[in-house]
Amino acid sequence: MKFVLIDEASPLLQMMIDKFPDASRGALKSTGYWAMRKIQGGIQSQAPGGEPYAEFFPQKLRQALDRVLRGRGKSNYPPMGRLQRAVKYQFLNSGARGMSVVVGWTSASAVRLGGMQQEGFSRPMTDSMRRAFDAAFQKLGLKTRIKATTTEIKTPSRKTIPPMATQLSPQITDQFETTFKKYLLSGPESRSPSGHKRQYKVLTL
């Protein structure tokens, strides 16, 4: 998602933005950080933008599969894996009236995996994968077996960025304006929360 400094700004606010570019820059970065954290929280909640993800494999089954396939398992499998940490924001500056922030995926692997998760995908059920599932069920003390007629593993679509953009877009102008006014009053010392210190390059939305 992308938001530009002058979008929907009132004439008075635009005048103030032009007059105080440092406060504008700090407020826009803070708004980008705010949006980033909201999207990360949406992923963590498993219902970004209020739209619940399709169900994931149970944690215990994921752990049993890991132990069968890799000889080890993790204690926790967060929703969308590491994708939550791959959501960042990037501040862009092409002049006082061209400042903008983009929020999205920041690595090639996140672009690929995020796209797959959002669109949904399937993988063939190979003989080795079938045996792995059967062994995982056995580890859990279950008599369940993958049916012989099952030919693929389907991962349903799990939208993340679009529903969060829909939810956050109406709030962005107010968020920026509130932070901008705070920066005007507080001065430059308080304009750089820890999330602003490292710069990221957003590759895609």
Side-chain angles (χ1 to χ4, degrees):
M1 58 184 296
K2 180 177 181 179
F3 39 99
V4 183
L5 187 59
I6 60 174
D7 284 359
E8 300 181 21
S10 66
L12 177 59
L13 178 59
Q14 185 58 64
M15 181 185 71
M16 297 294 287
I17 287 171
D18 294 340
K19 188 173 181 180
F20 299 98
D22 288 346
S24 302
R25 186 179 300 107
L28 192 56
K29 288 182 179 180
S30 283
T31 304
Y33 181 78
W34 164 83
M36 177 192 80
R37 295 293 293 166
K38 288 288 187 180
I39 294 172
Q40 291 174 339
I43 294 173
Q44 182 65 34
S45 74
Q46 300 191 38
E51 297 184 17
Y53 283 142
E55 289 187 7
F56 291 80
F57 283 141
Q59 298 267 336
K60 288 185 178 180
L61 177 57
R62 287 285 304 277
Q63 185 181 62
L65 273 171
D66 258 6
R67 287 176 174 169
V68 169
L69 294 170
R70 301 181 179 87
R72 56 185 174 81
K74 296 185 292 185
S75 60
N76 184 44
Y77 294 84
M80 306 290 277
R82 297 181 179 179
L83 284 175
Q84 178 180 333
R85 289 184 287 175
V87 176
K88 304 294 182 183
Y89 79 94
Q90 181 181 5
F91 171 75
L92 304 172
N93 187 358
S94 56
R97 298 181 67 85
M99 296 180 190
S100 62
V101 164
V102 182
V103 185
W105 310 118
T106 56
S107 70
S109 60
V111 170
R112 179 178 64 84
L113 292 174
M116 290 173 63
Q117 290 284 353
Q118 293 197 121
E119 296 303 318
F121 62 96
S122 61
R123 292 173 292 178
M125 175 62 77
T126 63
D127 289 340
S128 59
M129 186 59 72
R130 190 185 306 276
R131 288 194 295 271
F133 268 99
D134 289 344
F137 289 135
Q138 187 175 11
K139 278 182 174 293
L140 296 174
L142 303 173
K143 295 182 179 180
T144 305
R145 296 181 65 86
I146 299 295
K147 294 180 181 178
T149 54
T150 301
T151 59
E152 60 183 8
I153 306 170
K154 294 182 178 180
T155 299
S157 171
R158 298 186 176 107
K159 301 293 186 185
T160 296
I161 302 295
M164 287 302 304
T166 299
Q167 183 185 72
L168 297 179
S169 291
Q171 306 173 42
I172 287 173
T173 299
D174 287 344
Q175 178 69 24
F176 169 81
E177 185 171 352
T178 299
T179 311
F180 177 71
K181 291 175 180 177
K182 183 191 302 182
Y183 283 179
L184 285 178
L185 295 173
S186 63
E189 310 79 48
S190 61
R191 292 181 190 165
S192 298
S194 58
H196 297 177
K197 294 180 181 179
R198 182 174 176 182
Q199 295 298 313
Y200 295 90
K201 182 177 181 181
V202 172
L203 301 182
T204 189
L205 304 187

